[in-house]
Amino acid sequence: MSEAIRVDSEIMPVTSHGGFIHPAAHVADGAQIGAGCHIGPGCVVGPEAVLGQGVELVAHVVLDGRVSLGDGVKVFPFATIGLPPQDLKYKGQPTGVSIGPRSQVREHATIHRGSTGGDGMTRIGADCLVMCVAHVGHDCNIGDGVILVNNVMLAGHVEIGDFAVIQGGAAIQQFVRIGRMAMVAGMSGVERNVLPYGRVKGFRAKHAGLNTIAMRRRLGLSKDQVVTVARAVHDLYRGGRPDEAVESVAAAYPGNPQVAEILAFARNRGRHGLIPFGRYGDEEESGEAA
């Protein structure tokens, strides 16, 4: 510590690079703290943590193990990042967590480090929002701009594409893949893969249409373009066996980039295959979001 300044009537140690660490925080030797970081009272930062510039740990945050936080990440009270995975096969191997720039982790969220059953890393991209009491299990891979609403539960090895929205209380089974800009309705249980732009809902979630608002706002698609994609998805599910319909749909909609993205996702069925069809109806239903 190079000096001290008075902030909110307390003496706050100032680091040599312009940030400050509350006297009631514990930052272990070896932790790498970027310029302008704020580490509030009650925080515990382990020796392998790496904080980018301007990271803010509001209060009572725990960073354990190999945790890397990008520039401008903000973590709210009682969140824990990097604790060991809930995996009985894990025996303390050197795994970690990476969170991209400007993401926010809200109160009581838990993000566990990777395991040896994956590549050893749990990843969250840039500009994400992990809301209160959400859980991100070991080896999850979350893209940029993803929103996990309160009480979302991600089991291990879940993959979520950019700008997807998982609404409150939804539970995602291990190894499930959620495509780009998809939306999972609140309280849904997702046991199979969700197409890019898909909208799913239900206690045992089923495909219920497309996230058309996101398609228009983020991609700038016209109503007719969205309808074309919706028809392609309808054709994919028409016979009840979407895995077998991929090539015929590709031939019927050549040159459409959104359809091509959806079909590429469908070809890579992974462990679970595609989520089943539920209701195909009005794509303008309220409750959709960008």
Side-chain angles (χ1 to χ4, degrees):
M1 302 300 175
S2 60
E3 57 178 323
I5 58 174
R6 185 169 296 277
V7 178
D8 295 332
S9 300
E10 293 183 351
I11 298 298
M12 309 294 287
V14 179
T15 65
S16 59
H17 40 60
F20 64 90
I21 300 171
H22 194 281
H26 175 74
V27 179
D29 292 341
Q32 299 179 42
I33 310 300
C37 287
H38 171 122
I39 300 177
C43 292
V44 178
V45 179
E48 297 179 289
V50 178
L51 279 58
Q53 296 183 20
V55 168
E56 181 176 0
L57 310 181
V58 175
H60 302 285
V61 171
V62 175
L63 305 182
D64 186 64
R66 298 183 175 184
V67 175
S68 174
L69 304 183
D71 295 350
V73 166
K74 187 171 184 177
V75 187
F76 286 76
F78 304 106
T80 63
I81 302 174
L83 270 69
Q86 298 175 128
D87 180 351
L88 295 177
K89 300 184 296 300
Y90 180 75
K91 304 301 180 184
Q93 295 89 345
T95 58
V97 174
S98 174
I99 299 180
R102 300 173 301 279
S103 289
Q104 294 190 40
V105 180
R106 295 304 305 254
E107 298 87 333
H108 294 277
T110 55
I111 301 170
H112 286 173
R113 70 179 74 158
S115 74
T116 55
D119 69 355
M121 289 296 296
T122 300
R123 296 181 176 87
I124 297 176
D127 301 299
C128 292
L129 175 57
V130 179
M131 292 191 190
C132 297
V133 203
H135 173 67
V136 179
H138 59 85
D139 302 286
C140 286
N141 194 346
I142 297 174
D144 297 336
V146 171
I147 297 175
L148 306 180
V149 181
N150 299 339
N151 297 91
V152 162
M153 297 166 283
L154 304 185
H157 305 274
V158 168
E159 297 182 18
I160 302 181
D162 296 347
F163 302 110
V165 177
I166 315 299
Q167 295 183 333
I172 315 297
Q173 181 172 291
Q174 63 267 28
F175 292 100
V176 160
R177 299 164 55 233
I178 309 291
R180 186 167 74 110
M181 296 191 203
M183 172 174 283
V184 175
M187 304 300 291
S188 295
V190 181
E191 300 169 302
R192 297 189 182 182
N193 301 333
V194 178
L195 290 172
Y197 317 109
R199 181 165 51 86
V200 304
K201 62 182 179 180
F203 176 66
R204 290 289 184 261
K206 293 180 173 59
H207 177 81
L210 297 181
N211 187 2
T212 60
I213 302 300
M215 296 173 74
R216 291 186 184 181
R217 290 179 179 174
R218 292 197 177 276
L219 302 180
L221 299 184
S222 68
K223 182 175 182 179
D224 288 345
Q225 288 173 314
V226 171
V227 168
T228 297
V229 178
R231 286 174 178 164
V233 173
H234 185 254
D235 291 347
L236 185 67
Y237 277 104
R238 188 195 303 273
R241 298 186 67 86
D243 294 344
E244 298 178 0
V246 168
E247 301 311 323
S248 63
V249 173
Y253 297 87
N256 186 300
Q258 286 73 47
V259 174
E261 180 181 356
I262 288 169
L263 297 180
F265 183 96
R267 288 186 182 99
N268 181 16
R269 71 185 312 276
R271 298 195 180 194
H272 298 298
L274 292 183
I275 203 161
F277 174 87
R279 178 188 63 80
Y280 188 84
D282 181 9
E283 299 300 343
E284 303 301 328
E285 179 177 317
S286 61
E288 296 170 342

